[in-house]
Amino acid sequence: MKPLIAALLLALVAAPAMAGDVVDTSFVKAEGAHAFNVRDLVMMDRVGDPQLSPDGRYAAFGVRSTDYVANKGVNAVYVLDLAKDGQPVKVVDKGSSARWSADGRSLYFVAPVKGVAQLWRVDLGGKGGLSLAKHAVPVQVSHGVLDLGGYKLSPDGKQVLLSYEVFTDCATLACTQQRLDARAKDKASGTLYDKLFVRHWDTWADGRRNQLFVTRFDGKGQLAGEPKRLSRGIDGDVPSKPFGDEGEFGFAPDGRTVYFDVRIAGTSEPWSTNFDVYSVPADGSAAPKNLTAENKAWDAYPVASPDGKTLYYLAMKTPGFEADRFAIMALDLASGAKHEVDPQWDRSPGGLTLSADGKTLYATADDNGQHPLFAIDTASGKASQLVGEGTVGGFSLAAGKLLLTRDDLKRPADVYLAAADGSSLKQVTHFNAADLKNTAMGDAEFFTFKGWNNETVQGYVVKPADYKAGQTYPVAFIIHGGPQGAMSNGWSYRWNPQTYAGQGFAVVTVNFHGSTGYGQAFTDSISGDWGGKPLEDLKLGWKAALDKYSFLDGDRACALGASYGGYMTYWIAGVWNQPWKCLVDHDGVFDTRAMYYDTEELWFEERENGGTQYEHPENYEKFNPLNHVKDWRVPMLVIHSAKDFRIPDTQGLGAFTALQRRGIPSQLLHFPDENHWVLKPHNSVQWHDAVNAWLKQWTAKDAPKAASH
């Protein structure tokens, strides 16, 4: 065993740049065949938001490319004529959220004007079909002083719902902007709060709420005058913050009623998941009406039936539990009677889309390591898988056809077309094809084993990109976050197993108890037991993988995780550190006691720990990584970001302090401009470079052994 000082010196050699140093995140695009790497990852075109034209002939979708020099993504809108074998045509250079007009001859989209997001329209009409190559110049149709947050067109195309972030006591949009301008000029910088949230996700509260407005197009297709606020009197965000979208509001088929969901904030917002579905006349002639007041859990994503008689929506049953199963509910709008459509389907679907005849609902859901698209019969509740293997992202339905994006562990998203029953699935775009052809990736294989309580648990292994039979390889053991999430057959731009496979690592991951897609009881089982059943699954899964796959070198393995995966990394640092040569922890929970008071969404902490910390301190201490620092010994890279308000960076700083004070080889990579995720291209490259260097340093065949403590 080498002396500790030697290990520390070696750790310093690979230390990240300190203040004043320059980190080289530039690169020259690799030519020819090579193993997949982060520089391939950040430059890929990201395809999403597929929208099928009303006649089913044209596909509109968004593509985010990377301007690496400017360190940002650039959004564009493409249209593909599905009746031909041609290539997609870029119809909007800079814009997103494209939606078809009611007649299918124009696209609306959002793009900035002098730094303010506005609604635009591009007319594509031509003889015998749309004119994609020689379309009209896009026209700005909204002229508000505030950023447009989201929109939805009415079925007849004559009205539009708009979301703006406003001060709710302001009568006009201009009032909100004037107040913001006045604050910016004030030399006093303090903000006085009298309730939570004071900050959420990555943003400090300033008193504004997302509110829902409606307006009509005039004879020239413009949105003139002040829009009418439909959510007046609602102390909440429509859509919800931070990730709400247009799926949370919409018109009735006749355009006379609007439905939306919202959580009334009051003083309990941080510990409440009580969203409700509301209706309001589209002309604003009456106040919004709560349609789901009796359910104190989460009701959301309303969709009206084509005949306007039934409102479908998703509902949870357990108050305060954000990972409860979403059931599909049907509300008879005449009688007020409600019933669950799919009580026998043990999956939790996402937002709903309804067929033109009202007989079929479409939704995606996690399912045994995949994320398929399902059709749910509205009469019987029977769910049928339409598009299975891989991950279905966005999708749309029109004229008996399905348009969707799909990806998997070896392929980023592209657009696919299928019949409404999922048959005749065909890939219709091939973005990134040339680059993918030159990159070697690792093959993936799912496996199962007997985990906690002898119950079946699933995981997968990814071979290194340079895999050769008979050889052994170091291992990256990735622990997913959530904790109610899963490592599934999908492409990721953050924790992508192929970035490790391309560096010569095999990857092992386990969907431990608490993961989604294996039934709600399996998901529920982690609450109150963060360091129990999941740890046993990880141990048994690691053993099962080593027994099954001879190419895994169990003596050269590092464990990595983010969020809950970061919590588990800190936890195993004290209670299961024997197998690991190094650890990587991204935005993890180090001290569960302090986490309760530092985080923003208290409902999560209270559900997972059986109540508040001051009422049940023993629950917060039961699996607290901080209490096992005395047993830490494995070299660790800690990564945390200053704008992460979900798990504040004091958690990472505390862990790094513990490591340094104990003399354990360690590094801290801190991002002042990122949130719970690392999103900027240069930061992503720096993140991957630091992680890969750490893994290689400690899994090398001549790597130093950390001294015992």
Side-chain angles (χ1 to χ4, degrees):
M1 182 175 291
K2 295 185 178 180
L4 174 60
I5 187 64
L8 287 170
L9 288 172
L10 184 56
L12 290 172
V13 171
M18 302 299 288
D21 291 343
V22 176
V23 177
D24 182 12
T25 57
S26 64
F27 65 90
V28 176
K29 187 175 177 64
E31 300 293 339
H34 63 280
F36 185 80
N37 60 62
V38 64
R39 287 157 173 80
D40 297 309
L41 184 71
V42 299
M43 295 305 293
M44 286 191 153
D45 290 328
R46 306 186 188 187
V47 180
D49 196 19
Q51 300 294 323
L52 195 57
S53 63
D55 63 2
R57 176 171 172 178
Y58 296 94
F61 53 92
V63 178
R64 179 193 180 275
S65 59
T66 299
D67 183 340
Y68 196 75
V69 174
N71 200 26
K72 65 179 183 180
V74 178
N75 294 305
V77 176
Y78 285 75
V79 176
L80 174 64
D81 186 346
L82 298 169
K84 300 179 180 179
D85 293 327
Q87 295 298 312
V89 177
K90 185 191 294 186
V91 298
V92 175
D93 287 327
K94 293 183 179 180
S96 61
S97 303
R99 298 294 180 269
W100 290 100
S101 61
D103 64 7
R105 301 184 70 78
S106 302
L107 275 174
Y108 290 89
F109 64 95
V110 177
V113 181
K114 296 182 179 179
V116 179
Q118 303 284 3
L119 187 64
W120 292 68
R121 186 188 72 249
V122 56
D123 296 325
L124 305 173
K127 294 182 179 180
L130 301 186
S131 178
L132 302 182
K134 297 181 179 180
H135 57 76
V137 176
V139 176
Q140 180 184 345
V141 298
S142 77
H143 305 272
V145 295
L146 301 177
D147 282 321
L148 175 61
Y151 74 100
K152 183 169 281 186
L153 300 164
S154 63
D156 63 5
K158 296 179 180 179
Q159 303 177 83
V160 60
L161 295 172
L162 308 167
S163 175
Y164 289 105
E165 191 178 27
V166 300
F167 294 108
T168 56
D169 60 341
C170 275
T172 65
L173 299 183
C175 165
T176 290
Q177 187 58 52
Q178 291 163 4
R179 193 174 296 181
L180 291 172
D181 291 342
R183 285 187 177 183
K185 294 176 182 178
D186 193 340
K187 293 184 179 180
S189 61
T191 301
L192 187 64
Y193 297 97
D194 58 10
K195 65 177 181 179
L196 299 172
F197 294 115
V198 298
R199 60 183 188 176
H200 196 185
W201 187 249
D202 60 5
T203 304
W204 285 88
D206 64 3
R208 287 180 291 168
R209 291 285 185 192
N210 287 341
Q211 292 281 282
L212 191 63
F213 296 77
V214 69
T215 189
R216 300 184 73 89
F217 293 102
D218 64 17
K220 296 181 180 179
Q222 293 289 304
L223 300 179
E226 189 75 17
K228 181 172 293 186
R229 184 163 15 138
L230 297 180
S231 54
R232 187 173 299 278
I234 294 289
D235 183 17
D237 290 293
V238 187
S240 60
K241 295 178 181 178
F243 303 119
D245 59 27
E246 67 186 57
E248 297 187 64
F249 56 84
F251 286 96
D254 62 6
R256 298 173 61 184
T257 305
V258 169
Y259 301 102
F260 64 88
D261 68 65
V262 66
R263 174 179 53 206
I264 301 300
T267 58
S268 63
E269 188 175 19
W271 52 90
S272 169
T273 60
N274 186 21
F275 282 75
D276 282 305
V277 174
Y278 286 74
S279 67
V280 62
D283 61 6
S285 59
K289 177 184 178 182
N290 190 342
L291 302 178
T292 61
E294 77 287 349
N295 183 27
K296 303 305 180 183
W298 198 335
D299 303 289
Y301 306 108
V303 177
S305 63
D307 61 9
K309 296 180 179 180
T310 304
L311 186 70
Y312 296 97
Y313 63 97
L314 299 178
M316 295 182 178
K317 295 181 175 67
T318 306
F321 187 25
E322 67 177 12
D324 194 14
R325 173 181 171 266
F326 263 132
I328 301 174
M329 303 297 294
L331 164 63
D332 185 310
L333 291 166
S335 68
K338 303 179 179 75
H339 73 274
E340 183 176 346
V341 173
D342 61 334
Q344 76 285 354
W345 188 39
D346 195 9
R347 294 294 181 266
S348 188
L352 302 172
T353 296
L354 192 56
S355 63
D357 62 8
K359 295 181 179 180
T360 307
L361 286 160
Y362 295 83
T364 60
D366 284 350
D367 184 61
N368 292 306
Q370 314 291 332
H371 192 77
L373 176 64
F374 292 89
I376 302 96
D377 182 78
T378 57
S380 68
K382 180 182 179 181
S384 303
Q385 183 174 292
L386 300 184
V387 179
E389 188 173 350
T391 294
V392 174
F395 65 94
S396 65
L397 178 70
K401 298 177 183 178
L402 277 169
L403 189 74
L404 55 97
T405 57
R406 183 169 174 254
D407 60 82
D408 58 37
L409 281 164
K410 295 186 74 172
R411 285 174 290 270
D414 263 304
V415 180
Y416 291 74
L417 182 69
D421 63 1
S423 63
S424 305
L425 183 69
K426 176 185 177 182
Q427 184 175 346
V428 295
T429 69
H430 298 82
F431 285 83
N432 306 301
D435 291 333
L436 289 171
K437 185 177 180 180
N438 288 326
T439 58
M441 296 190 191
D443 292 328
E445 180 178 312
F446 280 83
F447 68 97
T448 59
F449 61 93
K450 295 298 183 182
W452 173 84
N453 199 33
N454 209 35
E455 295 177 6
T456 300
V457 178
Q458 185 185 51
Y460 67 72
V461 168
V462 180
K463 293 179 179 178
D466 60 350
Y467 172 79
K468 293 181 178 61
Q471 295 188 12
T472 60
Y473 299 88
V475 185
F477 186 73
I478 299 177
I479 306 168
H480 75 68
Q484 294 90 355
M487 291 289 286
S488 57
N489 186 13
W491 189 261
S492 173
Y493 286 95
R494 291 189 299 275
W495 285 79
N496 190 316
Q498 297 295 352
T499 62
Y500 305 98
Q503 296 292 311
F505 289 89
V507 175
V508 176
T509 188
V510 171
N511 285 333
F512 45 79
H513 276 77
S515 301
T516 53
Y518 306 95
Q520 192 60 40
F522 193 91
T523 301
D524 291 347
S525 65
I526 193 173
S527 296
D529 197 30
W530 273 30
K533 290 185 285 291
L535 178 63
E536 187 167 346
D537 286 345
L538 291 170
K539 289 180 176 180
L540 293 170
W542 176 239
K543 181 180 184 303
L546 292 178
D547 290 344
K548 183 176 178 65
Y549 301 103
S550 59
F551 58 86
L552 301 176
D553 188 341
D555 293 325
R556 292 192 296 145
C558 293
L560 311 82
S563 196
Y564 171 84
Y567 158 84
M568 180 54 74
T569 301
Y570 289 141
W571 182 241
I572 67 177
V575 303
W576 184 44
N577 53 38
Q578 296 81 10
W580 314 117
K581 292 296 182 286
C582 73
L583 301 170
V584 177
D585 194 294
H586 176 98
D587 289 11
V589 177
F590 167 62
D591 180 2
T592 54
R593 181 192 320 128
M595 173 66 178
Y596 176 79
Y597 297 100
D598 289 344
T599 192
E600 9 85 295
E601 293 184 351
L602 293 177
W603 66 75
F604 177 79
E605 287 294 309
E606 292 177 12
R607 166 66 190 187
E608 294 304 297
N609 294 286
T612 64
Q613 188 279 334
Y614 53 84
E615 292 174 314
H616 302 281
E618 68 283 358
N619 295 349
Y620 288 78
E621 296 305 316
K622 184 178 181 181
F623 300 114
N624 192 347
L626 176 145
N627 294 330
H628 297 271
V629 168
K630 62 180 176 59
D631 296 316
W632 285 16
R633 66 172 187 85
V634 178
M636 188 186 304
L637 168 63
V638 176
I639 307 172
H640 225 110
S641 299
K643 296 179 73 175
D644 182 0
F645 303 154
R646 182 62 40 81
I647 302 177
D649 61 355
T650 49
Q651 294 279 320
L653 291 168
F656 185 61
T657 297
L659 290 159
Q660 290 282 299
R661 186 64 182 87
R662 295 222 51 232
I664 299 171
S666 51
Q667 294 177 350
L668 171 68
L669 176 58
H670 185 265
F671 291 101
D673 55 348
E674 297 284 4
N675 55 34
H676 199 53
W677 303 327
V678 175
L679 301 175
K680 295 181 179 179
H682 283 257
N683 286 346
S684 178
V685 170
Q686 183 183 13
W687 188 100
H688 283 84
D689 283 352
V691 170
N692 288 329
W694 189 251
L695 298 180
K696 290 178 179 179
Q697 174 183 341
W698 295 103
T699 61
K701 292 183 177 179
D702 59 349
K705 294 183 179 179
S708 58
H709 299 271

